[in-house]
Structure formats: structure tokens, C-alpha cells
Amino acid sequence: MAVRSAVKRSAGAAVATGALAAAYMLFESQWVDLREEDLAVPGLPEGLTGLSVLHISDVHAAQPSLNLVALAKVVRWAEARRPDLVVLTGDIVDGGLGSDTCLRQLSRLRPPLGIFAVPGNHEYGLSKNPLRNARADRARDALGRVRFLRDECVLLRGPKEGPMLAVCGADYITRGYGLLNGSAPITADAFPLLITHRPPTGDDPLLDNFPLVFAGHTHGGQIRMPTPWGTVALHREALPFTEGIHRFNRSVLVISRGVGCTFLPFRLFCRPEAVIHRLRPAESGDVLRRGRR
């Protein structure tokens, strides 16, 4: 009897611990890290100093879910801060009723330079999620005011009639090949900014052409386990980094942890985020805020 009672107590403790862990991971998935920060960019023209860019990634709006609750927090926060430009780095809509809600929320953002997006793997149906059903062309048409960029660039005049800005988007399937073969030329007097879903690696030729790159896809790992050397992402897809700001030669790469979750609405030591980056020219001695591997 004593042994049986001990087993029952142990089982009950394990269930309680699991329930508490699940409750915390559910809480963290909604604990959105909303912040504004300066971003030092190599070669940024003085006329673009102070340009504010809201970076949103990986909402994963499909069926109605807590991802949409997290997005609503982002939109409310960003509306009051009025960023100049909004970039969406893929996996924004997955189809279903949730996509319509996502689009209505995004339509509340009215940045003067516009909202630009690239398709991620979920927009192309490249996902193990059985609930997703959107295709990239459907998502592109439904987004309305949001412009999808597939290996193409849009020239914009900076704030207060400042220098030209070339916002370019790398298609998920081609990995931006069209931006390298001359089909989407960038004028010499425009500062190039790239948005892409999957972060480029250090040897990617895109980094030689774009001094500023925004990416997503990784979710920061979504579930990170503590170790003596810091937290470690359980899933990294062989990418060198899962989040943060990283310098490669003459380029700065910004990887977002994203807003939503996939499969289960859980995060651990990896809060969702949306950041308004205020650009400024890089100076000697600048120290980048590096993220985690």
C-alpha cells in the first residue's frame, strides 16, 4: 500500500508539474515583447536617419487562435507610434477565418511609406500543419493594401523628401535569385533594404548587395531549453542564428522571433516580439545587440 501511495503521489506531482509548465508556456506565447530601438546600419544615408521600420513576422493566422490575440497587441501598440514603414517577413496568413481577421487588423496600420511583405513557406503550402490551406497568390490578393514582393523592388521617397529607399523582397522559393540576376535592378541613388523569410547564411550573395536585411522563419526556436551555456533552441533548421541582430561583412541581418506559434500555442524562454527599428548610420565602435543561436 505504501508503494502504491507513493506511486500515486509521484504521478500526481508529475501531472501538476506538467500542467504548470503548459500554463506558463501558454502565458509566454502571449507575453509579446514590444519595443523601439536604434539600429546602426552600414552606409545609411544621413537623410534616412530616424526612419522607423516596424518588423512583424510569423503571425501564422489560420483558424481563430491565440496568434491573433498576440497580433492585436502588436497593432494597438504600433498604431500609437506611427512607424514610417512596415515589413512583414513571411508566414503571416495560413488560410481560414483567422486570415480574414489578420488582414483586418493589419489594415489599421497606415504607415506613410506603406506595408510590404514576402511569402513564407506557409503561404506556399510548405508546412506540416494540417489546418493551413492558403496559397501565396490567394494571400497576396487578399492582403489588399499590403504589397507582396517576389524578387522585386519598390522605390520609395524617404521621409521629408529624403533619399530614395529601395524595398526589395526575396521570394521564398527562389531565395531571391531574381534580385541577383538583374531582373529587379536597384538604382544607384537608392538605399537597398531587403525583406526575406528564411534568414540568409553568411555566404549568401544577397548579403553583398543589401546592407540591411529583415528575416523571420525561426520563431527564435519557440521552445528553448536552459543549459549551463544559456538557452538552446530545440529546432534550428541548421541555421547559424535563430534571432537578433548580426553583422556579416557590410550587411546587418535582423532576425525576428515572430509573433505567433505553430502547432501548439507554447513558447519557452522565447517571447514573441515586434520591434520598431529607428535607423541610423553605423559608426566605428558600434556594438551590435547580438541574438541567440
Side-chain angles (χ1 to χ4, degrees):
M1 291 293 294
V3 172
R4 185 177 299 174
S5 297
V7 170
K8 288 183 177 180
R9 287 195 297 272
S10 297
V15 170
T17 301
L20 287 173
Y24 173 77
M25 289 190 288
L26 181 64
F27 163 77
E28 187 171 312
S29 75
Q30 294 298 298
W31 186 16
V32 187
D33 183 6
L34 301 169
R35 64 185 189 276
E36 299 178 73
E37 60 185 31
D38 287 348
L39 178 61
V41 181
L44 184 77
E46 287 289 343
L48 293 178
T49 298
L51 180 78
S52 56
V53 182
L54 170 61
H55 185 192
I56 298 175
S57 193
D58 297 274
V59 176
H60 290 279
Q63 307 303 321
S65 70
L66 292 177
N67 289 345
L68 295 169
V69 178
L71 177 63
K73 297 175 183 179
V74 173
V75 170
R76 285 196 300 270
W77 172 78
E79 274 187 299
R81 286 156 181 82
R82 299 179 60 83
D84 298 313
L85 175 69
V86 176
V87 295
L88 310 173
T89 50
D91 284 3
I92 302 302
V93 292
D94 276 6
L97 298 176
S99 292
D100 295 334
T101 303
C102 173
L103 302 176
R104 286 196 298 272
Q105 290 185 7
L106 289 172
S107 68
R108 292 165 51 188
L109 298 174
R110 298 185 177 275
L113 297 185
I115 306 176
F116 298 90
V118 290
N121 53 296
H122 279 243
E123 276 94 0
Y124 274 117
L126 302 176
S127 166
K128 298 177 182 178
N129 185 349
L131 296 179
R132 61 98 38 236
N133 57 25
R135 302 297 297 181
D137 52 353
R138 289 179 55 195
R140 178 196 62 204
D141 295 339
L143 280 172
R145 291 181 58 249
V146 180
R147 178 165 177 181
F148 261 99
L149 300 176
R150 298 179 179 180
D151 289 357
E152 57 186 317
C153 301
V154 175
L155 292 177
L156 306 172
R157 177 64 67 183
K160 300 179 181 179
E161 297 301 312
M164 296 296 293
L165 177 70
V167 178
C168 303
D171 186 79
Y172 180 79
I173 299 298
T174 68
R175 301 288 174 87
Y177 173 78
L179 298 173
L180 299 174
N181 66 7
S183 62
I186 303 170
T187 61
D189 61 344
F191 180 79
L193 178 157
L194 177 68
I195 59 177
T196 183
H197 183 55
R198 183 183 176 90
T201 56
D203 58 353
D204 194 313
L206 285 171
L207 296 177
D208 295 328
N209 292 270
F210 293 93
L212 177 57
V213 181
F214 290 99
H217 185 56
T218 67
H219 295 222
Q222 192 164 315
I223 302 293
R224 304 185 67 93
M225 301 304 295
T227 74
W229 305 276
T231 60
V232 175
L234 293 182
H235 183 59
R236 289 177 52 185
E237 292 194 20
L239 292 168
F241 301 104
T242 59
E243 63 151 314
I245 302 170
H246 307 276
R247 182 75 172 265
F248 294 97
N249 297 324
R250 294 173 297 174
S251 182
V252 168
L253 169 64
V254 182
I255 306 174
S256 173
R257 296 193 299 266
V259 173
C261 301
T262 55
F263 297 106
L264 297 175
F266 293 155
R267 282 181 177 262
L268 182 63
F269 302 125
C270 188
R271 291 170 60 188
E273 70 174 352
V275 182
I276 294 177
H277 297 277
R278 299 195 181 278
L279 309 188
R280 67 172 177 82
E283 301 173 355
S284 60
D286 274 331
V287 177
L288 292 179
R289 184 187 62 81
R290 296 180 68 87
R292 296 176 288 188
R293 294 181 180 271

